[in-house]
Amino acid sequence: MDNPAKLSILQLMKVDSDIIIVGGGLNGCILALALASGGVSVTLIDTLPNDTRQLAEFDGRSYALALTSKRLLSALSIWPGITEHAQPMLEIKVTDGRAGEGPSPFWMHFDHREIEEGPMGYMIEDRHLRRALLQSIEQDPKITHLAPETVVAQSVNRTTASVTLDSGRSLTSHLLVGCDGRTSSTAQRAGIKRSFKDYNQTAVVAAIGHEKPHNGIAHQFFMPAGPLAILPLTGNRSSIVWAESHARAAELTTMNDDAFIQALRPAFGDFLSDLHVAGARFSYPLNLTLADALIADRLALLGDAAHGVHPIAGQGLNQGLRDVGALAEVIVDAKRRGEDIGAPDILERYATWRRFDVTTLAWATDGFNHLFSNDNPILRVGRDIGMGLINSIPALRRGFIREAAGLTGDVPRLLQGRAL
Ligand SMILES: Cc1cc2nc3c(=O)[nH]c(=O)nc-3n(C[C@H](O)[C@H](O)[C@H](O)COP(=O)(O)OP(=O)(O)OC[C@H]3O[C@@H](n4cnc5c(N)ncnc54)[C@H](O)[C@@H]3O)c2cc1C
């Protein structure tokens, strides 16, 4: 039963918007659009200017979006604007590799034809996705976008959550959402601690052009220093994510294009024939950072602010988008029922929904990285046998494909492609 007294107090409280989102990265932007689609008013704040975040060279990553993440973007009407830039991922081949020696005979092969839903995911470049999101945000009357502005302080009381910006301005809402990335100051200010592990690896990311078509096949080679992923982009191009020691990554990022292709070749192999560099090189130091709690008083954490993981499985953003789907559904349903959207029991619904998933993924990616970024002969035999086994059992293979497509577990409405 609703408590009319509680509701009337809340209705009397003057707020600038229902929710304040700190951080307009991909997760913050998509959360703002999801909440707005359900009639929730949002203030979205980011340190960086809108124009900077829309530059093609702002972020060199390309994302392997799971099928359910694509469905979420379709439900929010973002997908039609970027579909021409999206490359369907039809197969994934995972190989234990050693530079110069080619693939080992033990490998795993996942083919989308083993499930009925179509491609298991899509590759999309950051420059297309981020720009489409920021443009949709500018047109949405339910979203106030403040950038550049930095949140420097926050406070909560019985009915509201407030922030102070570095410009001196203060804003009030019923709920604060921290989407401010791996070092989330929103979490720190709320006293939420986090586990941290440095992988001593840096990912070098670049677009590579090649002579032969990739046929929508993604490859993952496990090398002793770290994995090399070759991910299909539109046209005869692939995005590589190459994890190496910090020192080697610094060399790879700064050497000239010809030297880079020569350095890449022994790991990449010849299967796509001639290679050339098709864009700038970017580097990302890799670590694990996992918040001890997803919620606090009138605060929820989401995306990398809650769980920043190794890109080995290409799942960081996909998990963030599951957070988005779950939190937006909980909040929009609560608002429709006239409940206080920042109340502890509402936030607990979100935390209960997501806690198991985010913790499991964080430690699973950590375990994979340890198992595969390693030349220990015993581990090598063990993982080769494991890969051979998985590959030979169709039910296990299908399980992996459904997991990569995001089809397992309690899937939020938006990730099923349904409106809120
Ligand atoms: C090499 C690499 C490859 C990857 N590939 C994949 C992939 O294929 N598939 C996949 O699913 N995931 C992938 N990921 C993971 C994915 O990139 C991240 O999970 C995702 O980008 C995180 O987005 P976010 O919005 O949570 O955080 P961020 O991108 O870190 O955004 C945080 C935002 O908060 C802002 N901010 C911070 N503090 C404040 C403040 N005080 N006030 C206002 N604003 C603030 C920042 O300016 C920033 O814009 C990859 C990651 C790496 C490193």
Side-chain angles (χ1 to χ4, degrees):
M1 275 282 284
D2 292 333
N3 177 343
K6 195 164 135 197
L7 280 180
S8 61
I9 290 169
L10 280 171
Q11 279 155 1
L12 283 173
M13 289 302 307
K14 190 172 158 3
V15 290
D16 295 289
S17 57
D18 292 324
I19 294 188
I20 294 171
I21 300 176
V22 186
L26 298 176
N27 283 307
C29 285
I30 298 174
L31 178 68
L33 290 163
L35 290 167
S37 78
V40 176
S41 63
V42 180
T43 304
L44 176 67
I45 304 165
D46 199 279
T47 301
L48 299 172
N50 197 345
D51 292 351
T52 306
R53 286 140 74 209
Q54 297 203 40
L55 292 174
E57 62 274 20
F58 175 68
D59 192 323
R61 282 175 286 195
S62 299
Y63 307 104
L65 283 184
L67 175 61
T68 46
S69 298
K70 179 251 181 184
R71 287 180 178 163
L72 168 131
L73 294 174
S74 297
L76 297 177
S77 306
I78 306 294
W79 193 255
I82 56 173
T83 185
E84 64 173 309
H85 304 296
Q87 168 62 47
M89 243 181 358
L90 305 176
E91 296 173 48
I92 303 176
K93 292 182 174 175
V94 182
T95 318
D96 203 1
R98 198 180 262 166
E101 290 184 12
S104 89
F106 298 99
W107 63 323
M108 295 186 287
H109 180 204
F110 305 112
D111 189 328
H112 78 289
R113 283 169 293 200
E114 291 199 54
I115 60 169
E116 286 158 9
E117 282 84 352
M120 49 197 122
Y122 293 80
M123 284 302 300
I124 183 89
E125 288 158 83
D126 184 280
R127 62 193 173 121
H128 299 304
L129 177 58
R130 200 176 295 262
R131 190 176 303 165
L133 295 174
L134 288 166
Q135 287 173 359
S136 296
I137 282 169
E138 294 320 305
Q139 287 157 17
D140 197 316
K142 282 270 174 201
I143 305 174
T144 306
H145 187 195
L146 304 179
E149 280 280 16
T150 298
V151 173
V152 292
Q154 69 203 44
S155 62
V156 291
N157 65 26
R158 207 168 62 80
T159 52
T160 61
S162 305
V163 294
T164 307
L165 309 181
D166 60 352
S167 60
R169 192 170 165 192
S170 288
L171 297 165
T172 299
S173 65
H174 292 303
L175 174 67
L176 210 57
V177 185
C179 297
D180 45 350
R182 287 170 180 251
T183 55
S184 174
S185 55
T186 311
Q188 283 173 33
R189 282 189 289 266
I192 298 177
K193 297 201 165 54
R194 51 204 314 126
S195 308
F196 179 85
K197 184 170 175 181
D198 194 341
Y199 288 125
N200 291 316
Q201 292 173 335
T202 291
V204 177
V205 172
I208 301 292
H210 36 76
E211 195 181 349
K212 288 189 181 164
H214 48 54
N215 297 320
I217 304 173
H219 297 263
Q220 176 95 275
F221 297 134
F222 290 113
M223 315 297 287
L228 168 69
I230 303 169
L231 305 159
L233 299 176
T234 51
N236 276 9
R237 296 179 308 138
S238 293
S239 169
I240 59 156
V241 182
W242 187 5
E244 271 287 353
S245 68
H246 296 314
R248 179 66 178 146
E251 283 170 16
L252 291 169
T253 316
T254 47
M255 62 181 52
N256 69 39
D257 286 0
D258 288 345
F260 181 68
I261 292 295
Q262 269 187 32
L264 176 65
R265 179 61 88 181
F268 196 105
D270 291 328
F271 69 105
L272 294 176
S273 201
D274 274 356
L275 304 180
H276 63 270
V277 170
R281 270 164 267 155
F282 295 78
S283 59
Y284 302 84
L286 301 180
N287 53 50
L288 168 72
T289 144
L290 183 63
D292 286 357
L294 294 179
I295 55 172
D297 287 349
R298 293 200 176 270
L299 171 70
L301 297 180
L302 183 153
D304 277 17
H307 45 81
V309 299
H310 195 290
I312 192 165
Q315 286 298 326
L317 179 59
N318 289 309
Q319 283 299 317
L321 296 183
R322 275 176 100 97
D323 300 344
V324 167
L327 185 64
E329 187 169 324
V330 165
I331 298 293
V332 167
D333 288 354
K335 183 165 171 160
R336 285 185 185 142
R337 284 194 295 265
E339 293 173 322
D340 171 5
I341 57 171
D345 56 329
I346 306 293
L347 298 184
E348 189 52 46
R349 283 177 213 162
Y350 163 66
T352 305
W353 195 343
R354 295 300 302 138
R355 196 176 286 128
F356 179 76
D357 245 18
V358 302
T359 314
T360 311
L361 179 83
W363 294 116
T365 50
D366 181 62
F368 275 139
N369 188 48
H370 180 68
L371 182 63
F372 284 101
S373 300
N374 202 312
D375 218 11
N376 177 315
I378 298 172
L379 285 182
R380 214 178 152 87
V381 169
R383 70 197 187 209
D384 284 354
I385 292 173
M387 285 204 282
L389 262 179
I390 291 170
N391 204 46
S392 63
I393 302 175
L396 267 183
R397 267 200 326 265
R398 273 196 297 278
F400 269 77
I401 296 171
R402 295 189 69 77
E403 192 68 41
L407 294 165
T408 54
D410 187 1
V411 181
R413 285 207 294 275
L414 281 172
L415 284 98
Q416 297 171 30
R418 294 158 55 205
L420 283 177

